[in-house]
Amino acid sequence: MTFVLDAYDPEFLRDPYPAFDRVREETAIFRGKGREGDRAIWFLTRHADVRRALRDRRLGRIDQPTVDRAAWGLPPLREELSPYYDVEHWALVWLEPPNHTKIRRLVSKAFTIRRVAGLRPRIVELADRLLDPIVERGRFDVVNDYAAPLSVQVIAELLGVPIEDWRQMLEWSSLITRMYEYNITAADTSAAVTASVEFTEYCKDLMDRRRSRPRDDMITALCFARTEDGTLTDTQIVSMIITLLNAGHEASVNTLANGMSALMQHPDQWRLLTGGNVTPATAVEELFRWDAPIQTFDRWVVADRYEVDGQTIGQYEQVTVLLGCANRDPRHFQDPNSFRIGRGDPTHVSFGGGIHHCLGAPLARLEVEVALDRLATRLPRLRLGQEPVRPSRFVLRGFNFLELEVI
């Protein structure tokens, strides 16, 4: 069936879940418009189908700059977008084996459970440092005063990027990731290209410095890494640094902002947290499920065909999974439209699945857990300030600004 999903209607952006409920109960799969001009794509709505699609090797990602675009029914790449595609080219999220396997093996050492757990004291220190002036002021923006600087500084330290440059990196990241949306403009495209060029030059300068003065950080490790094919190219390293920085903060920043908005609108649940009835480690799972920070993930049929609920999808067709919609599926979650921070169910699909399961999921969980814990401990009496407004973003769901005030 065909279903019109106006993903950028302000009312839908404010709360997409009633519309998701309607379409999910009507159909497991529908056809709609995607990013590539008039090319129609398939959307999956239900948890079981989404979970299967994320893991099924009959579906895969495509390397945008090198794929035979005519065979896949895709328009030619625009030459002026080359700097942007150079940045995206070696991002894990776009790669398939064997390149995906090789690159993921290189960077996964920075995100092991043990290494991430060892970051807890430093994350607590950074969170408290950010909260000190907030406690004095009594009013703050969760996104720009707390969540974003905390998350960007953590991933910057892990990679070996100067944390004092976090605001510039956040600006570049915002301009580049705007390209993931369905409603981009010519101005968005131009800004993303400029940001890609500037961010690339910044990373190359860091790489030169690490090659002359190595340190114990991810950038140094990438600069001197050896694979079966030899050393990594500069383009590969730059792509990995930028995409790790971008991906390393999006999920945690958006989840904390979405979660604090939900908690302020459900004060009984906030009291469960501040009163110690539910631990932050348990609560984070409901925050990721309730209002997913990333709403979609695209895949393409690489086998002869793929079938969902009796509907055959042909080779080279695009399949987009609706993560937020799947996270509210009553076939999998009991009473899914109730916000219950004690639910503690980690089977949501907010981190994707299969070989593209989010590499930084343990770090994102830890950051949100610590950030919640420090807020609940130091500022237990909070309420929403001015009414928050959703920006015109669907794929990456969060806030540009979320004001809280102490009561």
Side-chain angles (χ1 to χ4, degrees), residues 108-249:
S108 63
K109 296 175 184 177
F111 296 95
T112 63
I113 298 295
R114 182 176 179 180
R115 182 161 187 180
V116 168
L119 296 173
R120 180 184 291 272
R122 179 57 174 156
I123 298 174
V124 171
E125 178 187 351
L126 287 171
D128 278 332
R129 186 182 301 169
L130 290 166
L131 285 176
D132 286 341
I134 288 172
V135 171
E136 296 296 320
R137 287 201 310 269
R139 182 187 296 262
F140 67 106
D141 170 12
V142 171
V143 177
N144 298 291
D145 292 337
Y146 188 50
L150 174 62
S151 186
V152 176
Q153 288 182 57
V154 170
I155 191 66
E157 285 194 359
L158 187 63
L159 295 178
V161 177
I163 62 172
E164 61 269 19
D165 296 337
W166 74 268
R167 291 185 187 277
Q168 177 62 77
M169 290 186 291
L170 195 63
E171 181 181 344
W172 283 328
S173 176
S174 177
L175 294 173
I176 291 171
T177 57
R178 177 77 180 118
M179 295 289 285
Y180 301 166
E181 298 294 335
Y182 293 80
N183 66 338
I184 58 173
T185 65
D188 294 329
T189 300
S190 177
V193 169
T194 300
S196 298
V197 171
E198 293 175 355
F199 211 163
T200 295
E201 291 306 309
Y202 176 85
C203 289
K204 285 182 176 179
D205 178 63
L206 284 175
M207 291 156 55
D208 289 342
R209 283 189 269 164
R210 290 300 181 274
R211 283 169 174 147
S212 61
R213 288 188 170 184
R215 295 183 184 178
D216 181 19
D217 57 34
M218 176 59 74
I219 294 177
T220 301
L222 292 173
C223 286
F224 290 94
R226 298 198 64 84
T227 70
E228 305 84 17
D229 307 320
T231 58
L232 298 171
T233 67
D234 282 4
T235 300
Q236 289 173 324
I237 298 172
V238 167
S239 183
M240 279 185 274
I241 294 170
I242 292 177
T243 53
L244 285 170
L245 281 164
N246 290 352
H249 77 274

Side-chain angles (χ1 to χ4, degrees), residues 282-290 338-341 343:
T282 297
V284 296
E285 300 301 340
E286 185 71 343
L287 268 58
F288 279 106
R289 181 199 75 87
W290 172 258
S338 291
F339 180 61
R340 301 203 306 261
I341 64 168
R343 189 189 300 264

Side-chain angles (χ1 to χ4, degrees), residues 19-39:
F20 281 162
D21 286 346
R22 290 193 297 272
V23 68
R24 185 182 54 245
E25 296 314 302
E26 188 171 341
T27 180
I29 179 172
F30 68 91
R31 203 157 169 80
K33 188 176 178 181
R35 296 183 187 86
E36 304 285 355
D38 295 325
R39 177 186 169 96

Side-chain angles (χ1 to χ4, degrees), residues 309-362:
D309 198 39
Q311 173 65 56
T312 298
I313 309 172
Q315 188 178 41
Y316 301 156
E317 291 198 77
Q318 183 178 336
V319 177
T320 293
V321 296
L322 294 172
L323 303 173
C325 187
N327 282 344
R328 298 284 189 100
D329 190 348
R331 295 161 188 78
H332 184 83
F333 299 100
Q334 184 180 20
D335 195 14
N337 286 320
S338 291
F339 180 61
R340 301 203 306 261
I341 64 168
R343 189 189 300 264
D345 189 338
T347 62
H348 55 78
V349 289
S350 295
F351 289 117
I355 67 168
H356 289 291
H357 182 269
C358 178
L359 184 67

Side-chain angles (χ1 to χ4, degrees), residues 28-103:
I29 179 172
F30 68 91
R31 203 157 169 80
K33 188 176 178 181
R35 296 183 187 86
E36 304 285 355
D38 295 325
R39 177 186 169 96
I41 60 179
W42 296 98
F43 291 89
L44 306 190
T45 66
R46 295 176 183 169
H47 187 278
D49 296 321
V50 166
R51 190 175 176 87
R52 179 167 67 100
L54 289 168
R55 289 161 172 75
D56 199 309
R57 299 306 299 148
R58 290 174 295 175
L59 301 175
R61 301 286 279 175
I62 60 172
D63 184 1
Q64 293 279 1
T66 63
V67 70
D68 184 343
R69 299 184 70 84
W72 285 70
L74 298 171
L77 286 181
R78 292 156 52 188
E79 185 64 30
E80 67 270 23
L81 289 179
S82 293
Y84 166 74
Y85 282 114
D86 284 345
V87 165
E88 292 285 293
H89 182 40
W90 289 97
L92 275 172
V93 74
W94 285 109
L95 298 177
E96 290 290 298
N99 285 330
H100 180 277
T101 306
K102 176 178 69 175
I103 300 300

